[in-house]
Amino acid sequence: MELRQMRHFIAVAEHENFTRAAQSMHIVQSALSTSIKQLEEELGTPLFIRSTRQVRLTMAGKVFLDYARTIGAVVEKASQEVAAIVALKTGTLSIGTVQSVPPFIDLPQLLETFIRRFPDFDVKLCQGSSAKLNAKVHNQQIDLAIMPVEEVSDRLSSRIIACDEIVVAFAADYAGFTAMQQDVTMAHLAQQSFIDFEAGQGTRKVNDNSFALQGLSRKVTFEVSDLETLLSLVERNMGIALLPEQVVKARSTTLHYCRISDVDVCWELAVAWLSDRPGSMNVYDRPVQEFMDILGSSD
C-alpha cells in the first residue's frame, strides 16, 4: 500500500467520479483505475460501488476513507515539520564539548553567530569527557562534539578545526626553570612535578603520549578536572603544566612558559559527528552542516 494509492482513493471518494478525480490528480483515468483496483485487491474487498453515473463508497470504503484522511493529514504535518527543520525554522541542535575549551576556540562567538543566523532554531550545549561525548554522538543524543582529535572514536567522522602548540607553563619563581628560559628537553621535563587534567580530560592524553613516545615517565602530583584550578595550582608554584600556548599567554601576568626543544607537541581540536560510515565527510543534517560551516569560517 502506497501513499499515492491513498491519495487516489481520497480523490475518487471526494469527486464521486473517476474522470474528475483523475483530472484533479493530473493523471490519466486508466492509471487511476489501476491504482484503485490494486488497493482493493490488497485490502481484499471493493471500496466503491461503481455505476455509469456515480461512484459511491462501500461500507469498507467509508471506514477506509476516515483512516486515509487521518494518514494523509499526519503525512502532510510530517512533511511540514521536515521542511521547517531543513529551513532551520524549528528544531534543536545539540552540541557537546570537552571541559575547558581553549581560547583559540571562541565557542560563545560561534554559538552567537549560529543563533543570529537562525533565531528560530534552538541550541543546547553540554560538557563532558571525550568518552561520554563520543558515546552521546554515536547514540544520537547530541548532534556533534568538539574534542581533542586523538580522542575521537573510530566509529565517528571528524575534522580538525584548530591546533595550538603545547608549551611548558610555570610560575615565575619555579626552581626548575629561569624566567628567561626559552626551551627545555623532554628528559629534563621528566624530572619535574606536573599538574595535569584527570585521565580522559583536556590535554592529558596528548601529554601522556608525548612522554610515552620518548620512553619516559613523569610524576603527576595533582590531577584536576577544570582548567582554572590547574592554572591556579601552577601560579602557586605547586608544579608545572603542559598546556596550549594560547592558554598560557592569556595568563602572561602570572605565568611564564618555554617550548619543548626536542619534540613537537600540538593540541588539535576536532569536531566529530555521526555519518554514513566512520571517517566519511558526509553531513546529512543541514543544522549540523551550517554550524560546521561557521566553525570552518573561524579557522
Side-chain angles (χ1 to χ4, degrees):
M1 189 179 302
E2 300 176 3
L3 287 172
R4 170 182 58 83
Q5 292 174 305
M6 289 190 184
R7 294 190 179 103
H8 293 169
F9 167 75
I10 293 172
V12 175
E14 291 178 346
H15 288 281
E16 298 182 336
N17 182 280
F18 274 82
T19 301
R20 290 193 296 271
Q23 291 172 347
S24 71
M25 298 299 295
H26 305 290
I27 60 174
V28 297
Q29 183 175 332
S30 59
L32 179 65
S33 298
T34 299
S35 177
I36 296 300
K37 183 179 179 181
Q38 292 173 342
L39 183 60
E40 290 176 324
E41 289 176 351
E42 183 174 348
L43 293 171
T45 185
L47 297 174
F48 294 105
I49 301 171
R50 297 164 173 84
S51 67
T52 56
R53 293 188 176 183
Q54 190 179 28
V55 177
R56 292 174 295 161
L57 289 167
T58 62
M59 185 180 298
K62 290 178 182 178
V63 172
F64 190 71
L65 179 61
D66 290 337
Y67 284 100
R69 282 172 169 163
T70 299
I71 293 170
V74 171
V75 170
E76 178 63 25
K77 178 65 174 176
S79 298
Q80 292 173 357
E81 291 290 335
V82 169
I85 289 176
V86 172
L88 279 84
K89 295 295 184 182
T90 187
T92 301
L93 177 67
S94 297
I95 302 169
T97 72
V98 290
Q99 295 176 340
S100 304
V101 174
F104 54 84
I105 290 291
D106 191 347
L107 188 58
Q109 178 62 50
L110 294 170
L111 296 175
E112 181 186 2
T113 300
F114 183 88
I115 293 170
R116 188 170 61 249
R117 290 184 186 177
F118 309 107
D120 299 321
F121 213 82
D122 294 331
V123 177
K124 288 187 177 180
L125 183 66
C126 70
Q127 290 186 320
S129 67
S130 295
K132 290 182 178 179
L133 294 178
N134 279 315
K136 285 186 175 183
V137 173
H138 188 262
N139 296 329
Q140 296 184 291
Q141 295 174 294
I142 59 176
D143 300 302
L144 53 86
I146 297 172
M147 68 183 81
V149 66
E150 69 274 2
E151 295 178 11
V152 175
S153 168
D154 58 10
R155 299 183 298 177
L156 304 179
S157 296
S158 64
R159 189 187 79 197
I160 294 175
I161 56 174
C163 63
D164 196 15
E165 181 181 359
I166 295 290
V167 297
V168 183
F170 55 94
D173 55 347
Y174 182 70
F177 306 134
T178 67
M180 301 302 293
Q181 185 121 7
Q182 296 296 310
D183 53 48
V184 63
T185 65
M186 290 291 290
H188 189 182
L189 286 177
Q191 302 171 22
Q192 313 302 314
S193 295
F194 281 86
I195 303 163
D196 212 332
F197 291 101
E198 296 174 350
Q201 295 188 12
T203 55
R204 180 60 184 265
K205 187 172 183 178
V206 69
N207 293 343
D208 287 345
N209 288 345
S210 299
F211 282 92
L213 289 172
Q214 300 299 312
L216 298 170
S217 60
R218 62 174 178 147
K219 178 182 179 181
V220 179
T221 307
F222 295 100
E223 292 183 328
V224 300
S225 60
D226 66 284
L227 178 62
E228 190 59 37
T229 300
L230 190 154
L231 291 169
S232 295
L233 288 171
V234 176
E235 289 171 339
R236 285 164 174 76
N237 207 8
M238 303 298 289
I240 64 173
L242 297 177
L243 292 168
E245 183 176 4
Q246 294 302 318
V247 171
V248 185
K249 279 186 174 180
R251 303 288 277 258
S252 60
T253 58
T254 56
L255 291 178
H256 293 281
Y257 73 91
C258 65
R259 304 185 188 282
I260 303 172
S261 61
D262 49 351
V263 295
D264 293 324
V265 186
C266 292
W267 196 39
E268 296 176 315
L269 280 185
V271 57
W273 70 97
L274 187 65
S275 190
D276 49 357
R277 63 186 185 280
S280 169
M281 291 295 102
N282 294 326
V283 180
Y284 289 93
D285 292 311
R286 188 189 166 201
V288 175
Q289 184 63 66
E290 291 289 349
F291 187 79
M292 289 176 60
D293 287 345
I294 293 172
L295 272 173
S297 65
S298 67
D299 289 354

